[in-house]
Every structure is written in C-alpha cells, then in structure tokens.
Amino acid sequence: MLAERVAAMRAEIERELVACGRAPESLAILAVSKKQPLAAIREAYAAGLRLFGENYLQEAAEKFTPLREEGLAPQLHFIGHLQSNKAAKIAALVDCVQSVDREEAAIALGRGAERAGRTLPVLLQLNISPSERFGCLPDEAPRLAERIRAQAHLRLDGVMAVGPITADRGAISAAFEQAAKTFALVGGTTLSIGMSGDWREAVRAGSTMLRIGSALFGARPS
Ligand SMILES: *Cc1c(COP(=O)(O)O)cnc(C)c1O
C-alpha cells in the first residue's frame, strides 16, 4: 500500500533528521510521479502528499489538469529537462520549475511567466555529477543565478541537483556537499537534493527537499 510506504518513509527520514540534529519540519518530500498513473497520484494525495514532480510537460498536463479541476490542490514541480520551446507552456502549468540550467531557458521561462501573468518560483539546476547530462557547472552558478534574477517574472528560490550514479557513497556525499556549498553562494530557501537511492547522504548534506519516486510508488511502469 502506498499510504504505508509513505508513512514508513516519513518515519525513516525523520529518524535521519533527528540523528543529524535537524528539525523534522526542515525537509519537504516531493513525490516524483513521472510514468505513474493518475490513480497512484490520487493515492499519494490521499496519503497526505501535496508536492509532486513531473519530467514531461504533456504527461504533467494530462494528469494534473483533471486533479485541479476536481478541486484538489497538488503543488506541481517541473523537474525534467527544460526545453526553451516548451517553456511558455510549462510556465503556465506548474508551481515551480527546478531545472533552470542556462540563461536561454531562463529568458524563455520568464517570458512565459509574464504572459501567464505570474511570478514563477524556480531553482537553478546544478551539475555535480559526471553521469548527469544537464545542469550548470558549479563555477558558473553565481553568474547564472544573476541572469535568472534579472528575469522580472521569475523568483529564484535555490538549487536543485541530481547526485552521481555510483556505488561509492563517499563520492555521493562529496557531490552533495558541493551542491550545498553552491546553494550557500546562490541563496534561497530550497536545496533540492536526494532521490530514492541517495536521500540519506542528501539529508546529511543539508537537503531541504527530497525528490522521491520509486521508493514511494514502486518501480516505474515502462
Ligand atoms: C526520476 C527523478 C527523480 C526520482 O527518482 P527515484 O530514483 O525514482 O526516486 C528525482 N529527480 C529527478 C530529476 C528525476 O528525473
């Protein structure tokens, strides 16, 4: 049962937070629902989850538009690769874009937010891993943060990063420490690091938002 997995996961995360001397309220869980059917999202919502992450615009619109029309209030975060030609539609649909990794995409997103008549919260996506294709390199992050802040209709809230795919737990921790250091330079309130396989290292490095998919929903249907 999804509700049981959610409860078990919350308890485990809380134990880790306490072990780090952190307050349980200092961390949010974003349920990554990509490739999961609408029924699973409804179940997660019923279990109390309110933050959801999706990677693809069309899939996100197909699932979350009906939920909103029913009067449910999920907060939708876009965590997939941000294509400039889809930025306007994404800006109109979601509550936050976590994957702003270059100036061109920030400009397109800012224009889309303006057209939608809103100020859109965003995160700067940082690349801390040789196995990750996207994201801005740490050295370039302060400059990109400046460019994002120059967009009147975007509000930069922090940093998102995907950890390295490796069995070396020390390398994962080191990458997350680097993300935390860059987050301190960029500023904001949200450090979105940690997924199903590396959330403990992320919590220890100071994550304020875990993005959890398979550990909550089970393996993604292919
Ligand atoms: C798919 C995805 C996740 C969730 O991954 P799990 O390993 O299933 O928890 C988190 N963040 C991003 C950017 C993703 O694409």
Side-chain angles (χ1 to χ4, degrees), residues 180-211:
K181 221 187 277 176
T182 309
F183 172 56
L185 291 177
V186 165
T189 56
T190 304
L191 175 58
S192 172
I193 52 173
M195 311 189 349
S196 294
D198 55 18
W199 65 265
R200 283 184 197 278
E201 285 83 359
V203 168
R204 290 179 199 137
S207 174
T208 70
M209 185 179 289
L210 301 175
R211 305 181 311 273

Side-chain angles (χ1 to χ4, degrees), residues 150-162:
Q151 308 304 314
H153 292 265
L154 301 183
R155 190 187 75 213
L156 181 61
D157 278 351
V159 164
M160 181 272 264
V162 176

Side-chain angles (χ1 to χ4, degrees), residues 9-188:
M9 185 98 209
R10 278 194 196 287
E12 261 194 88
I13 291 168
E14 195 167 320
R15 271 198 298 276
E16 189 67 49
L17 284 165
V18 169
C20 299
R22 292 185 53 186
E25 320 78 64
S26 65
L27 185 73
I29 300 175
L30 181 84
V32 177
S33 49
K34 65 174 174 226
K35 304 210 170 126
Q36 300 296 342
L38 193 49
I41 299 173
R42 284 186 203 286
E43 227 184 305
Y45 192 92
L49 291 168
R50 289 294 177 272
L51 296 173
F52 293 87
E54 288 281 347
N55 294 54
Y56 307 99
L57 167 65
Q58 193 184 331
E59 183 186 343
E62 281 170 7
K63 294 189 292 191
F64 284 84
T65 305
L67 291 175
R68 287 168 171 167
E69 284 170 0
E70 285 168 29
L72 302 188
Q75 288 270 315
L76 179 57
H77 288 220
F78 188 80
I79 60 172
H81 176 56
L82 182 59
Q83 292 172 265
S84 298
N85 62 350
K86 296 201 175 143
K89 283 189 175 151
I90 291 167
L93 179 73
V94 309
D95 299 293
C96 175
V97 175
Q98 297 203 0
S99 45
V100 180
D101 65 353
R102 62 201 194 283
E103 183 178 7
E104 179 211 349
I107 291 170
L109 203 59
R111 284 204 193 108
E114 180 173 18
R115 225 178 301 155
R118 61 194 302 219
T119 299
L120 182 68
V122 301
L123 302 181
L124 180 158
Q125 183 177 354
L126 192 66
N127 188 315
I128 52 168
S129 157
S131 48
E132 175 60 30
R133 269 194 301 160
F134 302 115
C136 155
L137 293 172
D139 282 353
E140 293 159 9
R143 167 153 170 87
L144 177 59
E146 213 175 87
R147 300 320 302 155
I148 295 171
R149 289 199 169 98
Q151 308 304 314
H153 292 265
L154 301 183
R155 190 187 75 213
L156 181 61
D157 278 351
V159 164
M160 181 272 264
V162 176
I165 300 168
T166 168
D168 179 351
R169 307 316 295 186
I172 292 170
S173 291
F176 285 155
E177 295 294 341
Q178 186 175 34
K181 221 187 277 176
T182 309
F183 172 56
L185 291 177
V186 165

